Amino acid sequence: MPYCPECGAEVYASAEICPSCGTRLKKPHTELPRNAHGDLVTGEKSEVLAVILGFFIIGAGLMYAGRVGLGIFHLVLSILLFWTILVPLALWIYGMLKGYELCKENNMLWLQYLEENR
């Protein structure tokens, strides 16, 4: 059986509060974090993978990063305006950079959540 770190009394492993001194033994888990767009952050995402996906398919990096609608919009717009060359090129570059940025933000929020719930 574990012991209370404050008073040293023996406590049940499932106890959240020490019955002897009232010290909280376990931190209550906080709600999963949300990013700036209101989406739940549920784990780490690879920034490199977002860039690689975005390199091969316009909008795929955005979709991987959680912005599926925006990624599909970029893909469809690039297909419709392929003849302009500049619009697909701008969307291609923007998609890779934004996918990287979104994954980085996601990972920062996830690491903060893990630190708070140790």
Side-chain angles (χ1 to χ4, degrees):
M1 278 180 106
Y3 296 92
C4 172
E6 195 67 32
C7 69
E10 202 170 2
V11 295
Y12 289 106
S14 61
E16 291 185 22
I17 296 174
C18 174
S20 297
C21 67
T23 300
R24 181 168 291 281
L25 301 173
K26 296 179 183 176
K27 283 185 176 178
H29 286 282
T30 58
E31 189 177 311
L32 286 174
R34 292 186 178 271
N35 63 19
H37 304 287
D39 302 324
L40 281 177
V41 175
T42 57
E44 287 189 68
K45 293 190 177 189
S46 170
E47 296 102 340
V48 174
L49 183 56
V51 172
I52 291 171
L53 288 171
F55 181 81
F56 289 108
I57 302 170
I58 293 175
L62 292 168
M63 292 182 223
Y64 170 75
R67 304 290 293 157
V68 178
L70 184 60
I72 291 172
F73 176 73
H74 278 213
L75 180 61
V76 170
L77 193 61
S78 295
I79 291 169
L80 293 175
L81 299 175
F82 73 93
W83 53 272
T84 63
I85 298 174
L86 289 178
V87 172
L89 181 64
L91 291 174
W92 178 62
I93 293 170
Y94 174 81
M96 287 188 291
L97 294 174
K98 191 67 174 174
Y100 175 85
E101 181 184 300
L102 289 169
C103 286
K104 193 168 186 169
E105 174 193 358
N106 179 84
N107 293 344
M108 282 187 355
L109 290 170
W110 183 248
L111 289 175
Q112 287 174 354
Y113 172 77
L114 292 178
E115 285 293 318
E116 292 171 0
N117 292 294
R118 261 207 250 171

